[in-house]
């Protein structure tokens, strides 16, 4: 039985950020990606409104056996490459928050997390890639940037490039697995992703904030060569704090729990103050283009 376009749109509207419409269509890789990133950080979920008819048509053609194996290589997609990089960095940040206590973190956990994030994006839709080569690129790049918070960026770039080089089309399949089995796998993957993060945030908030602050500081330091981008990122990072102050009038800022998270603001704000002090000494250094 073919999939309904109307039902797909209903599920997209009701639970799109959690991938309900992709589960309905049997696009489990896409569903898992949406579950872990809240619909591609909310932006991609809204953007795919225009692509849903194509998703439904593709699934129905596959079920009817009208899809022939594609021998050609998929074209390089800048959007997919950027998505792989972004999700790779995101998975790296999550690994820093939840797994940085491991002694082999920078050699094993970090490249593994980034490689899996990149490969997950590579598996969205009709395409896939070679997991072994993607992970190999991540593990070979990781020792070069051992111990550096900025390591997520070069590892993500390298693995994304490797994944693009090994891109191919998935073979068409009409096999329909039971929904219970698919949900079990999705749930297991989601728990594997979220459990270390939840544990770290709940039981080790101070360390979590420290790792996040170090990562943010390294990123801002690297982006300081692009003043406009750096200022924009700083504004985005400080926006939740400023909204909180406007809404509450500063009430609750003395709470123990909030003081931990306020360290992010203090860290970024100190970075801005340092830049302003340097700008007074050398106005040309931080002037915009």
């Amino acid at each position: 039985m073919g999939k309904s376009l109307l039902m797909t749109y209903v599920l997209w509207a009701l639970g799109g950020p959690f991938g309900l419409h992709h589960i309905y269509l049997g696009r489990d890789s896409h569903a898992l990606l949406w579950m872990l990133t809240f619909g591609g950080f909310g932006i991609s979920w809204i953007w795919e409104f225009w692509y849903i008819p194509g998703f439904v048509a593709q699934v129905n053609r596959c079920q009817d056996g009208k899809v022939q194996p594609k021998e050609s290589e998929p074209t390089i997609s800048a959007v997919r490459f950027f998505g792989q990089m972004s999700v790779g960095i995101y998975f790296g940040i999550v690994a820093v928050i939840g797994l940085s206590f491991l002694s082999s973190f920078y050699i094993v956990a970090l490249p593994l997390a980034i490689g899996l994030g990149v490969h997950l994006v590579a598996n969205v839709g009709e395409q896939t890639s070679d997991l072994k080569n993607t992970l190999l690129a991540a593990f070979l790049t990781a020792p070069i940037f051992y111990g550096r918070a900025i390591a997520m960026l070069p590892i993500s770039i390298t693995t994304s490039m490797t994944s693009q080089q090994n891109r191919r089309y998935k073979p068409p399949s009409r096999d329909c697995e039971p929904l219970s089995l698919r949900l079990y796998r999705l749930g297991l993957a989601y728990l594997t992703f979220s459990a270390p993060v939840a544990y770290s945030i709940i039981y080790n908030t101070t360390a979590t904030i420290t790792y996040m602050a170090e990562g943010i500081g390294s990123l801002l330091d690297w982006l300081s060569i692009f003043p406009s981008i750096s200022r924009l990122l700083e504004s985005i990072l400080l926006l939740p704090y400023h909204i909180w102050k406007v809404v509450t009038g500063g009430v609750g800022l003395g709470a123990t729990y909030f003081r931990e998270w306020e360290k992010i603001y203090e860290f970024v704000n100190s970075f801005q103050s340092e830049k302003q002090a340097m700008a007074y000494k050398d106005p040309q250094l931080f002037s915009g283009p």
Side-chain angles (χ1 to χ4, degrees), residues 101-153:
F101 61 89
L102 298 174
S103 58
S104 57
F105 171 74
Y106 285 101
I107 297 297
V108 178
L110 183 62
L112 178 62
I114 294 175
L116 291 177
V118 169
H119 187 69
L120 178 59
V121 179
N123 272 278
V124 168
E126 297 180 290
Q127 297 185 29
T128 185
S129 186
D130 189 287
L131 176 60
K132 181 177 66 175
N133 288 335
T134 300
L135 292 180
L136 180 62
F139 285 119
L140 290 177
T141 307
I144 302 175
F145 300 92
Y146 182 87
R148 301 180 184 179
I150 200 63
M152 292 177 286
L153 181 61

Side-chain angles (χ1 to χ4, degrees), residues 3 23 26 28 174-186:
K3 301 297 183 180
I23 295 176
D28 289 352
R174 297 179 60 186
D175 297 334
C176 296
E177 294 182 324
L179 179 61
S180 58
L181 177 60
R182 293 170 50 214
L183 292 178
Y184 171 77
R185 285 203 298 252
L186 287 172

